[in-house]
Amino acid sequence: MKLRLALTVLIVALATVWLGWLVISDSRTAIDDATSVADVPTRSPAPRHASSLGGGELRSTRRHVAVDPDDDAWNGMPDDDDVSVAAWIYRLCGPGLPNGASSEARYALRKFPVNEVLPSLIDLLYRADPDWNESAAFTVIGDFGADAAPWVKDVASFASDDDTAPVALWVLGRIGAAGVPFLVDAARSETALIRRYALDSISQCDLDTRAYVEVAVALLSDPDERVRADAFALLGEQRSALDLTIPALVEALRGDEATRLLAIHALDDLDEAGAPAATSLIGLLNSGAPAVRLAAAQALADLPSVSIASVPSLRALLDSDPRAYSSVARFIVRLSAAGTLEGLSSSSAQVRRAIAEYAHWVDTHHPESVGPVVVRLAAMLDDVDAVRLAALTSLDYIDGDRSSAVPALRRLAEDTTLPARERKRAALVLAQISGFADVATSALVATLNSGTSRDRVRVLQELGELGVAAASAAEDVQPLLAETDGKLRAAALDALAAMGPGAKDALPDIRAALTSHDDRVRLSAGLAVMAVDPPGDDVFEFLRTYRLHDLRGVLIRGLIRNPRPEFAELLADRVDDRDVRVGDNAIEALREISSHAIPALVRRFEGTQSTKARKRVVHALAQLGPKASATLVRLSERDDVSDSLAGAMRHAAALMK
């Protein structure tokens, strides 16, 4: 009995060992022979789709991968130094990798030839392994754009699956012309969701084709309201088949309210291409649905000119529907100068305001009527607050002659009972009108100490634009140099610089700003001193020691505009500045100083043994013209000048004579 039991145990043990050996052998065989065209480890051999590359069967082309079947932690991750396509594909979408961790792999794969990457990705998708990130694979295929056209049928095979359809259809759109037939087929799918995905992809692919218009027109009557909305939106983007688009949209204008609104928005998106539908849109201004009237008015406002006489209901709509004010006002101003003037004289403040906001369009559409419109806008400066601000806005934007508005603008700018922002706006408009600098200056000064810091900076900028004509405002600007706001101080210094010698009384405060800790303030102070008065030793030292190259270059450009012979030594020292731009500016400034710069350049040439520096000095002397010719010849005769440089100097001198 005991012997029989022992034999039984031995047989079971042997059978167990034998079965274990078979399992291990099969595992190794499966790992060695498992296939993937992607050359990437996968876990599930069950295909979801038939491959068009292999007669419906998944081909076995994967290389062998040495794997220890006892290592439960192995997941196929390639070594860090593996830069093959297979390794990057694994890093892109392999098992266990989080979404968003594949950006480096996506970029790397894009550098490989398309025929090395796409076959692998396509067949990886056919494997349909749930552990792999299919979206990442599709994304890389889409990255190749039109280069992926040879694989368009494979991508299209995933377009009918609810899970992969969104990204597959997106890829078809990225592929371009080759993907058009497949997107059109998807748009005709029996599944509404697929149709929506297809329309969305078509909309994003920026390809304008008749085929897309045809399918969109067919879907205008789709039973799914979201598909219909997407179809209308697509027609608003396509310009390739207007002979189909316009009639279809005009027909839709006869539908229910929702359909009319979709058609109107599509026509609005077409801009001028929707002009043939203008008559139909005008008819909708009398619609019983307020939303339709408003949408029609908005669309009409962007269409090419339509005779104002053909729109008898336009003013009625303007008077009756406050929501249409903006759209109809734009329409009226664009169509008719007479209609604009009539609207500016309306008994309704809302209508006057709406027309005034767009009255400046007369500059473009009716330049011959700028004068009468300006007169009417000036009269509106005594209107209610909202109307007054709208009139000011248009007067600010009009480029034509605005002189007839000066009295009203001046009165408004000096009226202390009005809000500061309105007075400031009036002053800014005055500053733009030629011949009224004194009026504008006093108006701007009156608003200089009100409003935010940004408002005050804007006023200072406008005073600067007036230049020396605004010099009378220097005493009002000078106190701002004591402000703590760096931007405001810099703007005040810039304004004083623009006023020139007329701001001379502010020099002590300007010079004090040279020691500011704010770079902007120091820079503006340096330029202001040079513009207002010949600088003293403090400014000279400031310019000599300033460390920031870009700002030093700006300061030297200030010397170009205001040549100062006393700065010749400083400029001569900067001709070979390590910042080439600074050196070039220094040479240009020396040219403006003219013959007074020659002694400084000679001293610079004699004081250095650097060939580079001497070449730059020679270049600067050559810029001075014939008056420096003899100097070049004399310097070329020095014993410490190389033969090559001496020859170049004599040649330059000969050219200057």
Side-chain angles (χ1 to χ4, degrees), residues 424 428 447-448 450-462 485 487-488 491:
K424 187 180 279 83
L428 293 174
T447 63
L448 188 56
S450 61
T452 65
S453 176
R454 184 175 180 179
D455 293 334
R456 300 169 78 188
V457 167
R458 171 80 191 279
V459 171
L460 288 167
Q461 290 171 342
E462 290 295 336
D485 187 320
K487 289 183 179 179
L488 187 59

Side-chain angles (χ1 to χ4, degrees), residues 77-84 87-88 91:
M77 177 66 74
D79 296 334
D80 290 340
D81 58 353
D82 189 349
V83 292
S84 65
W88 283 119
R91 295 188 185 104

Side-chain angles (χ1 to χ4, degrees), residues 554-600:
V554 172
L555 290 171
I556 291 176
R557 288 203 297 277
L559 287 173
I560 295 172
R561 296 193 298 269
N562 302 278
R564 307 291 193 195
E566 59 269 34
F567 275 86
E569 292 284 352
L570 167 67
L571 294 169
D573 287 341
R574 293 300 181 193
V575 295
D576 61 326
D577 195 284
R578 59 181 179 272
D579 187 323
V580 176
R581 294 169 300 179
V582 172
D584 290 342
N585 287 331
I587 290 173
E588 188 174 351
L590 286 165
R591 184 177 64 189
E592 296 299 323
I593 294 174
S594 189
S595 58
H596 297 291
I598 294 177

Side-chain angles (χ1 to χ4, degrees), residues 602-615 618 631-647 649-650:
V602 169
R603 282 190 289 273
R604 174 64 176 144
F605 187 93
E606 294 174 341
T608 181
Q609 296 297 316
S610 167
T611 301
K612 177 183 176 182
R614 285 187 165 185
K615 285 182 177 179
V618 169
T631 302
L632 280 173
V633 173
R634 179 171 59 82
L635 291 175
S636 71
E637 296 172 350
R638 288 175 57 92
D639 293 336
D640 58 355
V641 177
S642 66
D643 292 340
S644 60
L645 180 57
M649 294 169 69
R650 287 191 292 271

Side-chain angles (χ1 to χ4, degrees), residues 105-443:
R106 178 181 176 183
Y107 177 76
L109 286 169
R110 187 63 184 87
K111 293 184 176 181
F112 285 92
V114 64
N115 58 357
E116 292 184 16
V117 178
L118 260 61
S120 302
L121 290 174
I122 292 293
D123 282 340
L124 174 64
L125 292 172
Y126 281 127
R127 292 299 298 262
D129 190 325
D131 293 329
W132 287 71
N133 186 345
E134 292 180 339
S135 294
F138 276 116
T139 300
V140 172
I141 297 172
D143 286 343
F144 281 95
D147 292 338
W151 293 269
V152 67
K153 291 183 179 179
D154 296 284
V155 175
S157 69
F158 294 90
S160 58
D161 187 295
D162 289 350
D163 294 333
T164 56
V167 68
L169 290 168
W170 171 81
V171 173
L172 289 173
R174 294 295 301 271
I175 289 175
V180 170
F182 301 97
L183 285 172
V184 169
D185 286 344
R188 293 170 176 157
S189 168
E190 295 181 357
T191 305
L193 190 60
I194 301 296
R195 297 198 297 275
R196 288 194 64 202
Y197 289 148
L199 289 173
D200 184 61
S201 180
I202 290 171
S203 178
Q204 294 183 41
C205 71
D206 295 327
L207 189 62
D208 200 340
T209 72
R210 189 177 186 85
Y212 288 161
V213 174
E214 290 174 347
V215 73
V217 168
L219 293 175
L220 293 182
S221 57
D222 194 274
D224 188 292
E225 63 179 356
R226 291 171 298 181
V227 172
R228 292 197 303 274
D230 291 343
F232 276 108
L234 180 58
L235 287 179
E237 300 167 0
Q238 298 283 316
R239 305 289 194 278
S240 60
L242 293 174
D243 59 312
L244 298 178
T245 301
I246 300 300
L249 293 177
V250 169
E251 178 63 27
L253 292 177
R254 302 186 180 96
D256 57 26
E257 180 176 349
T259 302
R260 287 183 176 186
L261 288 173
L262 290 171
I264 292 171
H265 292 320
L267 287 167
D268 195 8
D269 290 340
L270 286 173
D271 298 324
E272 294 188 2
T279 303
S280 299
L281 289 171
I282 290 170
L284 294 179
L285 295 176
N286 296 316
S287 170
V292 172
R293 294 199 304 270
L294 177 60
Q298 291 172 337
L300 281 167
D302 296 322
L303 292 180
S305 294
V306 180
S307 172
I308 193 70
S310 66
V311 198
S313 57
L314 195 59
R315 278 300 308 278
L317 175 61
L318 185 60
D319 291 330
S320 64
D321 195 337
R323 297 176 304 167
Y325 285 154
S326 177
S327 300
V328 177
R330 285 185 293 156
F331 193 23
I332 289 177
V333 173
R334 181 172 56 79
L335 292 182
S336 167
T340 301
L341 290 168
E342 182 185 354
L344 293 175
S345 304
S346 171
S347 59
S348 166
Q350 292 283 7
V351 173
R352 295 198 302 275
R353 174 188 177 184
I355 298 295
E357 285 180 351
Y358 297 97
H360 58 276
W361 283 15
V362 296
D363 257 345
T364 302
H365 298 290
H366 313 288
E368 73 286 351
S369 300
V370 168
V373 169
V374 168
V375 170
R376 187 70 202 111
L377 289 172
M380 296 170 70
L381 295 180
D382 294 322
D383 212 317
V384 296
D385 292 352
V387 176
R388 182 169 58 247
L389 281 174
L392 269 174
T393 299
S394 270
L395 285 170
D396 193 4
Y397 292 146
I398 288 176
D399 293 327
D401 183 9
R402 293 168 287 180
S403 58
S404 60
V406 168
L409 287 168
R410 184 172 187 173
R411 185 171 62 255
L412 184 62
E414 296 174 349
D415 188 346
T416 56
T417 64
L418 293 175
R421 64 171 183 167
E422 294 184 28
R423 295 164 52 210
K424 187 180 279 83
R425 190 67 177 269
L428 293 174
V429 176
L430 279 170
Q432 299 171 25
I433 302 176
S434 176
F436 295 93
D438 56 336
V439 177
T441 299
S442 60

